[in-house]
Amino acid sequence: MATAKIKPEATRGKARVALYVLAIFILILVAVFAYNYSFIKGQLGVGTAYGARVACSCHYIGGRDIEDCEKDFEPGMEVIGLSLDDDKRRVTASTPLLASATAEFREGWGCILLTEQELAAR
């Protein structure tokens, strides 16, 4: 019974081709993300604002736990995280490094979205 010997040069060549294919694939993904960055950032801005407002109303008006309020999110909003500030009665919805929005409960007004200036002043 004869055994076939694999040449090390052939194995290195296949590994090099696989590495090039992987690098090209990653470059294509980065290019697509860069091309659509403003659209993605805009959609995440809308999603975080919606999430902050809905979660604030759910928690402070509806009296539900903040984890339970995430069930009210639309499909596709799984990337949005919530944080709660009970002292200021605020809910912040955010996606890492891309978008963030904060809603605050005000007696008689309900939950309102805060602007950057309002966040900096308080």
Side-chain angles (χ1 to χ4, degrees):
M1 202 185 304
T3 59
K5 291 188 177 186
I6 299 174
K7 295 182 180 180
E9 297 85 25
T11 306
R12 277 189 232 133
K14 289 180 183 179
R16 185 172 289 154
V17 168
L19 186 61
Y20 287 142
V21 169
L22 179 64
I24 289 171
F25 179 73
I26 290 172
L27 284 173
I28 290 171
L29 284 177
V30 168
V32 167
F33 180 78
Y35 181 76
N36 292 310
Y37 178 74
S38 63
F39 175 76
I40 293 169
K41 188 163 173 62
Q43 291 296 310
L44 288 174
V46 170
T48 54
Y50 172 82
R53 173 70 170 71
V54 167
C56 179
S57 297
C58 170
H59 182 69
Y60 290 110
I61 297 171
R64 293 168 47 200
D65 189 41
I66 197 72
E67 286 82 23
D68 189 45
C69 294
E70 289 182 354
K71 295 177 186 174
D72 295 342
F73 284 3
E74 295 293 323
M77 293 181 63
E78 293 83 13
V79 297
I80 297 174
L82 296 175
S83 62
L84 188 62
D85 183 355
D86 273 328
D87 294 335
K88 296 180 181 179
R89 296 172 25 160
R90 292 181 180 175
V91 174
T92 300
S94 62
T95 55
L97 304 173
L98 292 174
S100 177
T102 301
E104 179 180 82
F105 177 74
R106 294 183 183 168
E107 200 64 47
W109 291 91
C111 288
I112 60 167
L113 289 173
L114 300 178
T115 64
E116 294 295 325
Q117 292 80 15
E118 289 175 312
L119 285 171
R122 293 179 180 217

